[in-house]
Short mmCIF file of all heavy atoms in Angstrom, two decimals:
data_model
loop_
_atom_site.label_atom_id
_atom_site.label_comp_id
_atom_site.label_asym_id
_atom_site.label_seq_id
_atom_site.Cartn_x
_atom_site.Cartn_y
_atom_site.Cartn_z
N MET A 56 0.83 -1.19 0.00
CA MET A 56 0.00 0.00 0.00
C MET A 56 0.87 1.26 0.00
O MET A 56 0.53 2.24 -0.67
CB MET A 56 -0.93 -0.04 1.22
CG MET A 56 -1.89 1.07 1.27
SD MET A 56 -3.07 0.90 -0.06
CE MET A 56 -4.36 1.89 0.53
N ASP A 57 1.97 1.21 0.75
CA ASP A 57 2.86 2.37 0.81
C ASP A 57 3.43 2.70 -0.57
O ASP A 57 3.50 3.87 -0.96
CB ASP A 57 4.02 2.13 1.78
CG ASP A 57 3.55 2.04 3.23
OD1 ASP A 57 2.40 2.40 3.51
OD2 ASP A 57 4.35 1.61 4.07
N ARG A 58 3.84 1.69 -1.30
CA ARG A 58 4.42 1.93 -2.63
C ARG A 58 3.40 2.49 -3.60
O ARG A 58 3.72 3.38 -4.38
CB ARG A 58 5.03 0.65 -3.19
CG ARG A 58 6.32 0.29 -2.53
CD ARG A 58 6.91 -0.95 -3.14
NE ARG A 58 7.99 -1.41 -2.31
CZ ARG A 58 9.19 -1.67 -2.77
NH1 ARG A 58 9.45 -1.56 -4.05
NH2 ARG A 58 10.13 -2.08 -1.96
N LEU A 59 2.19 1.96 -3.56
CA LEU A 59 1.14 2.47 -4.44
C LEU A 59 0.86 3.94 -4.13
O LEU A 59 0.76 4.76 -5.05
CB LEU A 59 -0.14 1.64 -4.28
CG LEU A 59 -1.34 2.10 -5.10
CD1 LEU A 59 -1.03 2.05 -6.59
CD2 LEU A 59 -2.54 1.25 -4.77
N ALA A 60 0.76 4.26 -2.86
CA ALA A 60 0.53 5.65 -2.47
C ALA A 60 1.69 6.53 -2.92
O ALA A 60 1.49 7.64 -3.44
CB ALA A 60 0.34 5.75 -0.96
N LEU A 61 2.91 6.05 -2.76
CA LEU A 61 4.07 6.82 -3.17
C LEU A 61 4.09 7.04 -4.68
O LEU A 61 4.39 8.14 -5.16
CB LEU A 61 5.36 6.13 -2.72
CG LEU A 61 6.66 6.86 -2.99
CD1 LEU A 61 6.66 8.24 -2.34
CD2 LEU A 61 7.83 6.05 -2.52
N ILE A 62 3.73 6.03 -5.45
CA ILE A 62 3.68 6.16 -6.91
C ILE A 62 2.66 7.23 -7.31
O ILE A 62 2.93 8.08 -8.16
CB ILE A 62 3.35 4.81 -7.57
CG1 ILE A 62 4.55 3.86 -7.45
CG2 ILE A 62 2.94 4.98 -9.03
CD1 ILE A 62 4.23 2.42 -7.80
N LEU A 63 1.50 7.21 -6.67
CA LEU A 63 0.47 8.20 -6.99
C LEU A 63 0.91 9.61 -6.61
O LEU A 63 0.65 10.58 -7.33
CB LEU A 63 -0.86 7.84 -6.32
CG LEU A 63 -1.58 6.65 -6.93
CD1 LEU A 63 -2.72 6.20 -6.03
CD2 LEU A 63 -2.09 6.97 -8.31
N VAL A 64 1.59 9.73 -5.47
CA VAL A 64 2.09 11.05 -5.05
C VAL A 64 3.14 11.55 -6.03
O VAL A 64 3.18 12.73 -6.38
CB VAL A 64 2.62 10.99 -3.61
CG1 VAL A 64 3.39 12.24 -3.25
CG2 VAL A 64 1.47 10.78 -2.64
N ILE A 65 4.00 10.67 -6.51
CA ILE A 65 5.01 11.05 -7.50
C ILE A 65 4.34 11.51 -8.79
O ILE A 65 4.74 12.51 -9.38
CB ILE A 65 6.00 9.89 -7.75
CG1 ILE A 65 6.87 9.68 -6.51
CG2 ILE A 65 6.85 10.16 -8.98
CD1 ILE A 65 7.70 8.41 -6.54
N ILE A 66 3.32 10.79 -9.23
CA ILE A 66 2.57 11.20 -10.43
C ILE A 66 1.99 12.60 -10.23
O ILE A 66 2.10 13.46 -11.11
CB ILE A 66 1.46 10.18 -10.76
CG1 ILE A 66 2.08 8.88 -11.27
CG2 ILE A 66 0.47 10.76 -11.78
CD1 ILE A 66 1.10 7.74 -11.38
N GLY A 67 1.40 12.83 -9.08
CA GLY A 67 0.85 14.15 -8.79
C GLY A 67 1.91 15.24 -8.76
O GLY A 67 1.72 16.33 -9.30
N ALA A 68 3.05 14.93 -8.16
CA ALA A 68 4.13 15.91 -8.08
C ALA A 68 4.68 16.24 -9.47
O ALA A 68 4.92 17.40 -9.79
CB ALA A 68 5.24 15.39 -7.18
N LEU A 69 4.86 15.23 -10.30
CA LEU A 69 5.34 15.47 -11.66
C LEU A 69 4.33 16.28 -12.46
O LEU A 69 4.70 17.18 -13.23
CB LEU A 69 5.66 14.14 -12.35
CG LEU A 69 6.85 13.37 -11.79
CD1 LEU A 69 6.96 12.01 -12.47
CD2 LEU A 69 8.13 14.16 -11.93
N ASN A 70 3.05 15.97 -12.28
CA ASN A 70 2.01 16.73 -12.98
C ASN A 70 2.04 18.19 -12.54
O ASN A 70 1.94 19.09 -13.37
CB ASN A 70 0.64 16.10 -12.73
CG ASN A 70 -0.40 16.62 -13.69
OD1 ASN A 70 -0.21 16.57 -14.90
ND2 ASN A 70 -1.49 17.13 -13.16
N TRP A 71 2.17 18.44 -11.24
CA TRP A 71 2.24 19.83 -10.76
C TRP A 71 3.49 20.53 -11.26
O TRP A 71 3.46 21.72 -11.57
CB TRP A 71 2.18 19.88 -9.23
CG TRP A 71 0.77 19.89 -8.74
CD1 TRP A 71 0.14 18.88 -8.08
CD2 TRP A 71 -0.18 20.93 -8.89
NE1 TRP A 71 -1.16 19.25 -7.82
CE2 TRP A 71 -1.37 20.50 -8.31
CE3 TRP A 71 -0.13 22.19 -9.48
CZ2 TRP A 71 -2.51 21.29 -8.29
CZ3 TRP A 71 -1.27 22.97 -9.45
CH2 TRP A 71 -2.45 22.52 -8.86
N GLY A 72 4.59 19.79 -11.38
CA GLY A 72 5.80 20.37 -11.94
C GLY A 72 5.60 20.80 -13.38
O GLY A 72 6.04 21.88 -13.79
N LEU A 73 4.93 19.96 -14.16
CA LEU A 73 4.62 20.31 -15.55
C LEU A 73 3.69 21.51 -15.64
O LEU A 73 3.87 22.38 -16.50
CB LEU A 73 3.99 19.11 -16.27
CG LEU A 73 4.92 17.95 -16.59
CD1 LEU A 73 4.12 16.76 -17.10
CD2 LEU A 73 5.97 18.36 -17.61
N ILE A 74 2.73 21.57 -14.74
CA ILE A 74 1.82 22.71 -14.72
C ILE A 74 2.59 23.99 -14.38
O ILE A 74 2.41 25.03 -15.03
CB ILE A 74 0.66 22.48 -13.72
CG1 ILE A 74 -0.26 21.37 -14.22
CG2 ILE A 74 -0.13 23.77 -13.50
CD1 ILE A 74 -1.27 20.89 -13.20
N GLY A 75 3.44 23.91 -13.38
CA GLY A 75 4.19 25.09 -12.96
C GLY A 75 5.19 25.57 -13.99
O GLY A 75 5.35 26.78 -14.20
N LEU A 76 5.87 24.65 -14.63
CA LEU A 76 6.92 25.03 -15.58
C LEU A 76 6.39 25.35 -16.97
O LEU A 76 6.87 26.28 -17.63
CB LEU A 76 7.96 23.91 -15.69
CG LEU A 76 8.81 23.67 -14.46
CD1 LEU A 76 9.65 22.41 -14.64
CD2 LEU A 76 9.69 24.87 -14.18
N PHE A 77 5.43 24.56 -17.43
CA PHE A 77 5.01 24.66 -18.82
C PHE A 77 3.51 24.92 -19.02
O PHE A 77 3.04 24.92 -20.15
CB PHE A 77 5.39 23.37 -19.57
CG PHE A 77 6.83 23.00 -19.44
CD1 PHE A 77 7.22 21.89 -18.72
CD2 PHE A 77 7.81 23.79 -20.04
CE1 PHE A 77 8.55 21.54 -18.60
CE2 PHE A 77 9.15 23.46 -19.92
CZ PHE A 77 9.52 22.34 -19.20
N ARG A 78 2.78 25.07 -17.93
CA ARG A 78 1.32 25.23 -18.00
C ARG A 78 0.68 24.08 -18.79
O ARG A 78 -0.21 24.27 -19.62
CB ARG A 78 0.93 26.56 -18.62
CG ARG A 78 1.35 27.73 -17.80
CD ARG A 78 0.91 29.02 -18.43
NE ARG A 78 1.44 30.13 -17.66
CZ ARG A 78 0.75 31.21 -17.39
NH1 ARG A 78 -0.47 31.33 -17.82
NH2 ARG A 78 1.29 32.16 -16.69
N PHE A 79 1.19 22.88 -18.53
CA PHE A 79 0.72 21.69 -19.23
C PHE A 79 0.24 20.67 -18.19
O PHE A 79 1.03 20.19 -17.37
CB PHE A 79 1.84 21.08 -20.08
CG PHE A 79 1.44 19.82 -20.79
CD1 PHE A 79 0.52 19.85 -21.83
CD2 PHE A 79 1.97 18.61 -20.40
CE1 PHE A 79 0.14 18.68 -22.48
CE2 PHE A 79 1.59 17.43 -21.03
CZ PHE A 79 0.68 17.47 -22.07
N ASP A 80 -1.03 20.34 -18.22
CA ASP A 80 -1.62 19.38 -17.29
C ASP A 80 -1.66 18.02 -18.00
O ASP A 80 -2.54 17.77 -18.84
CB ASP A 80 -3.02 19.82 -16.89
CG ASP A 80 -3.61 18.97 -15.78
OD1 ASP A 80 -3.13 17.86 -15.56
OD2 ASP A 80 -4.57 19.45 -15.15
N LEU A 81 -0.71 17.16 -17.68
CA LEU A 81 -0.59 15.86 -18.34
C LEU A 81 -1.81 14.98 -18.07
O LEU A 81 -2.33 14.34 -18.98
CB LEU A 81 0.69 15.15 -17.90
CG LEU A 81 0.96 13.79 -18.53
CD1 LEU A 81 1.12 13.94 -20.04
CD2 LEU A 81 2.18 13.15 -17.91
N VAL A 82 -2.29 14.98 -16.83
CA VAL A 82 -3.45 14.15 -16.48
C VAL A 82 -4.66 14.58 -17.30
O VAL A 82 -5.35 13.75 -17.88
CB VAL A 82 -3.74 14.22 -14.97
CG1 VAL A 82 -5.06 13.54 -14.62
CG2 VAL A 82 -2.60 13.59 -14.17
N ALA A 83 -4.89 15.88 -17.38
CA ALA A 83 -6.04 16.38 -18.14
C ALA A 83 -5.90 16.06 -19.62
O ALA A 83 -6.88 15.68 -20.27
CB ALA A 83 -6.20 17.88 -17.94
N SER A 84 -4.69 16.18 -20.14
CA SER A 84 -4.52 15.92 -21.57
C SER A 84 -4.66 14.44 -21.90
O SER A 84 -5.12 14.09 -22.98
CB SER A 84 -3.18 16.45 -22.07
OG SER A 84 -2.12 15.72 -21.52
N LEU A 85 -4.30 13.57 -20.97
CA LEU A 85 -4.42 12.13 -21.21
C LEU A 85 -5.85 11.62 -21.06
O LEU A 85 -6.26 10.69 -21.74
CB LEU A 85 -3.52 11.35 -20.25
CG LEU A 85 -2.02 11.41 -20.49
CD1 LEU A 85 -1.29 10.66 -19.40
CD2 LEU A 85 -1.67 10.86 -21.86
N PHE A 86 -6.61 12.25 -20.17
CA PHE A 86 -7.92 11.70 -19.83
C PHE A 86 -9.09 12.60 -20.20
O PHE A 86 -10.19 12.44 -19.69
CB PHE A 86 -7.97 11.36 -18.33
CG PHE A 86 -6.97 10.31 -17.94
CD1 PHE A 86 -5.88 10.64 -17.15
CD2 PHE A 86 -7.10 9.02 -18.39
CE1 PHE A 86 -4.94 9.67 -16.80
CE2 PHE A 86 -6.17 8.05 -18.04
CZ PHE A 86 -5.09 8.38 -17.25
N GLY A 87 -8.88 13.58 -21.08
CA GLY A 87 -10.01 14.32 -21.62
C GLY A 87 -10.35 15.63 -20.95
O GLY A 87 -11.51 16.06 -21.02
N GLY A 88 -9.42 16.28 -20.32
CA GLY A 88 -9.68 17.58 -19.70
C GLY A 88 -9.87 17.47 -18.21
O GLY A 88 -10.10 16.39 -17.67
N GLN A 89 -9.78 18.61 -17.54
CA GLN A 89 -9.88 18.62 -16.07
C GLN A 89 -11.25 18.21 -15.56
O GLN A 89 -11.36 17.70 -14.45
CB GLN A 89 -9.54 20.01 -15.55
CG GLN A 89 -8.08 20.33 -15.64
CD GLN A 89 -7.76 21.69 -15.04
OE1 GLN A 89 -8.64 22.55 -14.93
NE2 GLN A 89 -6.53 21.88 -14.66
N GLU A 90 -12.27 18.44 -16.33
CA GLU A 90 -13.63 18.12 -15.88
C GLU A 90 -14.06 16.69 -16.23
O GLU A 90 -15.13 16.25 -15.81
CB GLU A 90 -14.63 19.12 -16.47
CG GLU A 90 -14.39 20.55 -16.01
CD GLU A 90 -14.51 20.70 -14.51
OE1 GLU A 90 -15.42 20.10 -13.91
OE2 GLU A 90 -13.66 21.42 -13.94
N ALA A 91 -13.25 15.97 -16.99
CA ALA A 91 -13.60 14.60 -17.37
C ALA A 91 -13.59 13.69 -16.14
O ALA A 91 -12.80 13.88 -15.22
CB ALA A 91 -12.61 14.08 -18.41
N LEU A 92 -14.47 12.73 -16.15
CA LEU A 92 -14.61 11.83 -15.00
C LEU A 92 -13.30 11.10 -14.70
O LEU A 92 -12.90 11.02 -13.53
CB LEU A 92 -15.73 10.82 -15.27
CG LEU A 92 -15.97 9.80 -14.15
CD1 LEU A 92 -16.39 10.51 -12.87
CD2 LEU A 92 -17.00 8.78 -14.58
N LEU A 93 -12.62 10.61 -15.72
CA LEU A 93 -11.37 9.88 -15.50
C LEU A 93 -10.31 10.78 -14.87
O LEU A 93 -9.59 10.35 -13.97
CB LEU A 93 -10.87 9.31 -16.83
CG LEU A 93 -10.43 7.85 -16.80
CD1 LEU A 93 -11.53 6.96 -16.32
CD2 LEU A 93 -9.95 7.43 -18.16
N SER A 94 -10.22 12.01 -15.33
CA SER A 94 -9.26 12.96 -14.75
C SER A 94 -9.59 13.21 -13.28
O SER A 94 -8.69 13.23 -12.43
CB SER A 94 -9.28 14.28 -15.50
OG SER A 94 -8.79 14.13 -16.80
N ARG A 95 -10.84 13.40 -13.00
CA ARG A 95 -11.24 13.66 -11.60
C ARG A 95 -10.96 12.47 -10.72
O ARG A 95 -10.59 12.63 -9.55
CB ARG A 95 -12.72 14.04 -11.56
CG ARG A 95 -12.95 15.39 -12.26
CD ARG A 95 -14.34 15.87 -12.17
NE ARG A 95 -14.68 16.04 -10.76
CZ ARG A 95 -15.88 16.32 -10.33
NH1 ARG A 95 -16.86 16.46 -11.18
NH2 ARG A 95 -16.11 16.46 -9.04
N ILE A 96 -11.09 11.26 -11.25
CA ILE A 96 -10.75 10.06 -10.48
C ILE A 96 -9.26 10.03 -10.19
O ILE A 96 -8.85 9.76 -9.05
CB ILE A 96 -11.21 8.79 -11.23
CG1 ILE A 96 -12.73 8.69 -11.24
CG2 ILE A 96 -10.59 7.54 -10.62
CD1 ILE A 96 -13.29 7.61 -12.14
N VAL A 97 -8.44 10.33 -11.20
CA VAL A 97 -6.99 10.35 -10.99
C VAL A 97 -6.62 11.41 -9.96
O VAL A 97 -5.84 11.16 -9.04
CB VAL A 97 -6.24 10.57 -12.32
CG1 VAL A 97 -4.75 10.81 -12.08
CG2 VAL A 97 -6.44 9.39 -13.25
N TYR A 98 -7.19 12.62 -10.08
CA TYR A 98 -6.90 13.69 -9.12
C TYR A 98 -7.31 13.26 -7.70
O TYR A 98 -6.59 13.51 -6.73
CB TYR A 98 -7.65 14.97 -9.48
CG TYR A 98 -7.23 15.62 -10.78
CD1 TYR A 98 -8.17 16.17 -11.63
CD2 TYR A 98 -5.90 15.69 -11.16
CE1 TYR A 98 -7.81 16.78 -12.82
CE2 TYR A 98 -5.52 16.31 -12.35
CZ TYR A 98 -6.47 16.84 -13.17
OH TYR A 98 -6.11 17.44 -14.35
N THR A 99 -8.44 12.60 -7.59
CA THR A 99 -8.91 12.14 -6.28
C THR A 99 -7.98 11.09 -5.70
O THR A 99 -7.63 11.14 -4.51
CB THR A 99 -10.34 11.59 -6.39
OG1 THR A 99 -11.19 12.63 -6.90
CG2 THR A 99 -10.86 11.11 -5.06
N LEU A 100 -7.57 10.13 -6.52
CA LEU A 100 -6.65 9.09 -6.05
C LEU A 100 -5.32 9.68 -5.60
O LEU A 100 -4.76 9.27 -4.58
CB LEU A 100 -6.42 8.04 -7.13
CG LEU A 100 -7.60 7.12 -7.43
CD1 LEU A 100 -7.28 6.23 -8.63
CD2 LEU A 100 -7.95 6.28 -6.21
N VAL A 101 -4.82 10.67 -6.34
CA VAL A 101 -3.57 11.33 -5.96
C VAL A 101 -3.76 12.06 -4.63
O VAL A 101 -2.89 12.00 -3.76
CB VAL A 101 -3.10 12.29 -7.07
CG1 VAL A 101 -1.98 13.19 -6.58
CG2 VAL A 101 -2.64 11.50 -8.29
N GLY A 102 -4.88 12.71 -4.45
CA GLY A 102 -5.16 13.41 -3.19
C GLY A 102 -5.26 12.46 -2.01
O GLY A 102 -4.71 12.73 -0.93
N VAL A 103 -5.95 11.35 -2.20
CA VAL A 103 -6.08 10.34 -1.13
C VAL A 103 -4.71 9.75 -0.81
O VAL A 103 -4.36 9.56 0.37
CB VAL A 103 -7.08 9.24 -1.54
CG1 VAL A 103 -7.03 8.07 -0.59
CG2 VAL A 103 -8.48 9.82 -1.62
N ALA A 104 -3.91 9.50 -1.85
CA ALA A 104 -2.56 8.97 -1.62
C ALA A 104 -1.71 9.97 -0.85
O ALA A 104 -0.93 9.58 0.03
CB ALA A 104 -1.89 8.64 -2.96
N GLY A 105 -1.85 11.25 -1.16
CA GLY A 105 -1.11 12.28 -0.42
C GLY A 105 -1.51 12.30 1.05
O GLY A 105 -0.66 12.39 1.93
N ALA A 106 -2.79 12.20 1.31
CA ALA A 106 -3.27 12.16 2.69
C ALA A 106 -2.75 10.91 3.40
O ALA A 106 -2.34 10.96 4.57
CB ALA A 106 -4.80 12.20 2.73
N TYR A 107 -2.74 9.79 2.71
CA TYR A 107 -2.22 8.54 3.28
C TYR A 107 -0.74 8.67 3.61
O TYR A 107 -0.27 8.19 4.64
CB TYR A 107 -2.45 7.38 2.31
CG TYR A 107 -1.86 6.08 2.78
CD1 TYR A 107 -2.53 5.28 3.70
CD2 TYR A 107 -0.62 5.64 2.31
CE1 TYR A 107 -1.99 4.08 4.14
CE2 TYR A 107 -0.07 4.46 2.75
CZ TYR A 107 -0.76 3.68 3.65
OH TYR A 107 -0.20 2.50 4.09
N CYS A 108 0.01 9.35 2.74
CA CYS A 108 1.45 9.48 2.94
C CYS A 108 1.80 10.34 4.16
O CYS A 108 2.92 10.26 4.67
CB CYS A 108 2.13 10.04 1.69
SG CYS A 108 2.30 8.79 0.39
N ILE A 109 0.85 11.13 4.62
CA ILE A 109 1.08 11.88 5.86
C ILE A 109 1.39 10.92 7.00
O ILE A 109 2.23 11.19 7.86
CB ILE A 109 -0.12 12.78 6.20
CG1 ILE A 109 -0.24 13.89 5.16
CG2 ILE A 109 0.00 13.37 7.60
CD1 ILE A 109 -1.51 14.70 5.26
N SER A 110 0.74 9.76 6.98
CA SER A 110 0.97 8.77 8.05
C SER A 110 2.41 8.27 8.05
O SER A 110 2.92 7.83 9.08
CB SER A 110 0.00 7.60 7.91
OG SER A 110 0.34 6.79 6.79
N LEU A 111 3.08 8.33 6.90
CA LEU A 111 4.47 7.87 6.85
C LEU A 111 5.38 8.74 7.70
O LEU A 111 6.41 8.28 8.19
CB LEU A 111 4.98 7.88 5.39
CG LEU A 111 4.23 6.98 4.41
CD1 LEU A 111 4.79 7.16 3.01
CD2 LEU A 111 4.32 5.53 4.84
N LEU A 112 5.01 9.99 7.91
CA LEU A 112 5.81 10.88 8.73
C LEU A 112 5.83 10.46 10.20
O LEU A 112 6.78 10.77 10.92
CB LEU A 112 5.27 12.31 8.63
CG LEU A 112 5.41 13.00 7.29
CD1 LEU A 112 4.66 14.32 7.32
CD2 LEU A 112 6.87 13.21 6.95
N PHE A 113 4.80 9.78 10.64
CA PHE A 113 4.64 9.48 12.05
C PHE A 113 4.90 8.01 12.39
O PHE A 113 4.70 7.60 13.53
CB PHE A 113 3.24 9.88 12.51
CG PHE A 113 2.97 11.34 12.27
CD1 PHE A 113 2.17 11.74 11.22
CD2 PHE A 113 3.55 12.30 13.07
CE1 PHE A 113 1.94 13.08 10.97
CE2 PHE A 113 3.32 13.65 12.85
CZ PHE A 113 2.51 14.04 11.80
N ARG A 114 5.32 7.23 11.44
CA ARG A 114 5.60 5.82 11.70
C ARG A 114 7.00 5.63 12.24
O ARG A 114 7.92 6.36 11.90
CB ARG A 114 5.48 5.01 10.41
CG ARG A 114 4.07 4.85 9.95
CD ARG A 114 4.02 3.82 8.89
NE ARG A 114 2.76 3.92 8.17
CZ ARG A 114 2.52 3.36 7.03
NH1 ARG A 114 3.48 2.65 6.44
NH2 ARG A 114 1.37 3.48 6.44
N GLU A 115 7.13 4.60 13.06
CA GLU A 115 8.46 4.21 13.53
C GLU A 115 9.18 3.51 12.41
O GLU A 115 8.60 2.70 11.69
CB GLU A 115 8.33 3.25 14.74
CG GLU A 115 7.77 3.91 15.98
CD GLU A 115 8.72 4.92 16.57
OE1 GLU A 115 9.94 4.69 16.53
OE2 GLU A 115 8.24 5.96 17.05
N ARG A 116 10.43 3.82 12.25
CA ARG A 116 11.23 3.16 11.22
C ARG A 116 11.81 1.86 11.78
O ARG A 116 12.30 1.83 12.90
CB ARG A 116 12.37 4.04 10.76
CG ARG A 116 11.90 5.19 9.94
CD ARG A 116 13.07 5.90 9.39
NE ARG A 116 12.60 6.94 8.47
CZ ARG A 116 13.31 7.44 7.53
NH1 ARG A 116 14.56 7.05 7.37
NH2 ARG A 116 12.83 8.35 6.74
N THR A 117 11.73 0.83 10.98
CA THR A 117 12.35 -0.43 11.35
C THR A 117 13.31 -0.81 10.24
O THR A 117 13.07 -0.59 9.06
CB THR A 117 11.29 -1.55 11.52
OG1 THR A 117 10.57 -1.71 10.30
CG2 THR A 117 10.33 -1.22 12.63
N THR A 118 14.41 -1.39 10.64
CA THR A 118 15.38 -1.84 9.65
C THR A 118 15.39 -3.36 9.64
O THR A 118 15.31 -4.01 10.68
CB THR A 118 16.79 -1.32 9.98
OG1 THR A 118 17.16 -1.76 11.28
CG2 THR A 118 16.83 0.20 9.92
N GLU A 119 15.47 -3.91 8.44
CA GLU A 119 15.52 -5.35 8.31
C GLU A 119 16.97 -5.79 8.33
O GLU A 119 17.80 -5.26 7.60
CB GLU A 119 14.86 -5.78 7.00
CG GLU A 119 13.39 -5.49 6.98
CD GLU A 119 12.76 -5.96 5.69
OE1 GLU A 119 13.33 -6.85 5.03
OE2 GLU A 119 11.70 -5.42 5.34
N ARG A 120 17.26 -6.75 9.16
CA ARG A 120 18.63 -7.28 9.24
C ARG A 120 18.62 -8.74 8.85
O ARG A 120 17.70 -9.47 9.15
CB ARG A 120 19.17 -7.13 10.65
CG ARG A 120 19.28 -5.68 11.06
CD ARG A 120 19.83 -5.58 12.45
NE ARG A 120 19.74 -4.22 12.90
CZ ARG A 120 20.75 -3.54 13.35
NH1 ARG A 120 21.93 -4.10 13.44
NH2 ARG A 120 20.60 -2.31 13.76
N GLU A 121 19.66 -9.12 8.18
CA GLU A 121 19.75 -10.51 7.75
C GLU A 121 20.39 -11.37 8.82
O GLU A 121 21.14 -11.01 9.62
CB GLU A 121 20.58 -10.61 6.47
CG GLU A 121 19.86 -9.93 5.34
CD GLU A 121 20.62 -10.08 4.04
OE1 GLU A 121 21.36 -11.06 3.88
OE2 GLU A 121 20.48 -9.20 3.19
#
């Protein structure tokens, strides 16, 4: 679950980088505009993943030893 959330957050961050640098919304262009249902689903999933990743800040770190 952590990796999936991280992947979605990375997608969102890259999309925001493209918007900031080039005024290009990759998610909207791939899925039919900002108001398209598929785009809104992707935006929602990225937002939920971002909220989930907040929990990573408060977790205890464990190291795996062989």
